[in-house]
Amino acid sequence: GTVTFTNADTFTGTTDIQAGTVILSNGGELSGTSSVTVSGGGSLKLDNTTTNDANRVSDSAAVSLNQGTIDFTGNGSADSGETIGAITLSGGVNKINITPGASHAAVLTAESLTQSNTQAVIEFSGTGFGTSGNNPRMFFTTAPALTNGILPYAVVNGNDFAGYDGTNGIAPYSAYYTGDINGAVSTDNVKISATNDITDNRTVNSLIVAGNYNVTGAAGTTLTVGSGGVIYTGNTTVSVPTLAFG
């Protein structure tokens, strides 16, 4: 079900959203809550469409996502911002959607981003995410640790691994190795846009297969993805004799 708060609620307990949706709009706030857990397909919506409110959730409230979603919607008359506590990915596929109002920025800031479960992943979603101007941006007070330039458990708009910088925050990584995979080295984030055949054992940092292409391997070869990060954006088959992670 859906619960909508349009006035401030200052209770100081924990907020647990399981499978349902909590909407904070107009004057709706949970500014006293000590922590927020969103799980089981649930979502927390911070909606500034009508009223711009920069304190819908306590700045120190820790957020745990386990197959959960945060939706942050900006205002059409002024820039919108929100600050929350540390975000922990505790399981499942998670999502943060940011939608700015017309001609205004929307910026979400959290204390930090960590995994408590290495199987947990997250997608950051929004048109122009992580680019300058009136586009959606996500910052962390403590920058997340990158593995050879990427967050291997995070993607932007489903197509690219997430990187991070102090200017735009979470942003699509762009410095991919795009040549034949046989020329890649262990620190490369590889993006393939053609069928590739591995001729010997190969280690890369991450792998994106962009389109309907296949990755094959000669007998006895192993493809190791050091960070564990793999994205397929089309109808892809990876049929190497051994595919290893880490």
Side-chain angles (χ1 to χ4, degrees):
T2 300
V3 176
T4 301
F5 291 84
T6 56
N7 294 296
D9 193 317
T10 58
F11 83 96
T12 56
T14 61
T15 301
D16 192 358
I17 305 168
Q18 298 184 28
T21 299
V22 171
I23 301 173
L24 306 179
S25 62
N26 296 320
E29 295 180 350
L30 297 176
S31 57
T33 191
S34 56
S35 65
V36 178
T37 298
V38 188
S39 61
S43 63
L44 172 64
K45 296 179 180 284
L46 312 175
D47 185 1
N48 291 308
T49 303
T50 302
T51 303
N52 219 3
D53 187 337
N55 195 38
R56 294 196 180 278
V57 177
S58 169
D59 291 359
S60 61
V63 177
S64 175
L65 298 177
N66 185 350
Q67 200 177 334
T69 297
I70 296 175
D71 285 308
F72 178 49
T73 303
N75 186 269
S77 299
D79 293 348
S80 300
E82 180 72 39
T83 299
I84 57 178
I87 296 176
T88 300
L89 306 178
S90 55
V93 178
N94 304 283
K95 197 166 189 178
I96 292 179
N97 303 313
I98 302 180
T99 306
S103 301
H104 289 282
V107 178
L108 181 62
T109 301
E111 171 62 33
S112 59
L113 176 67
T114 58
Q115 290 172 294
S116 64
N117 178 345
T118 57
Q119 302 302 308
V121 296
I122 187 167
E123 178 182 9
F124 296 94
S125 176
T127 301
F129 205 108
T131 55
S132 60
N134 298 321
N135 291 307
R137 282 178 286 170
M138 175 95 213
F139 290 94
F140 296 95
T141 305
T142 300
L146 302 177
T147 303
N148 293 313
I150 66 166
L151 295 172
Y153 55 86
V155 300
V156 178
N157 290 327
N159 297 314
D160 287 292
F161 285 107
Y164 189 85
D165 65 63
T167 301
N168 292 312
I170 291 289
Y173 181 81
S174 60
Y176 293 103
Y177 172 88
T178 57
D180 186 284
I181 196 170
N182 290 293
V185 298
S186 62
T187 56
D188 282 334
N189 298 298
V190 177
K191 180 180 277 190
I192 288 173
S193 55
T195 292
N196 277 233
D197 182 59
I198 296 170
T199 57
D200 57 9
N201 293 338
R202 183 66 45 188
T203 297
V204 299
N205 187 58
S206 67
L207 175 65
I208 296 178
V209 183
N212 300 324
Y213 303 105
N214 299 325
V215 180
T216 59
T221 56
T222 297
L223 173 60
T224 301
V225 182
S227 73
V230 177
I231 299 174
Y232 303 149
T233 64
N235 184 16
T236 297
T237 299
V238 177
S239 57
V240 295
T242 302
L243 179 62
F245 298 95

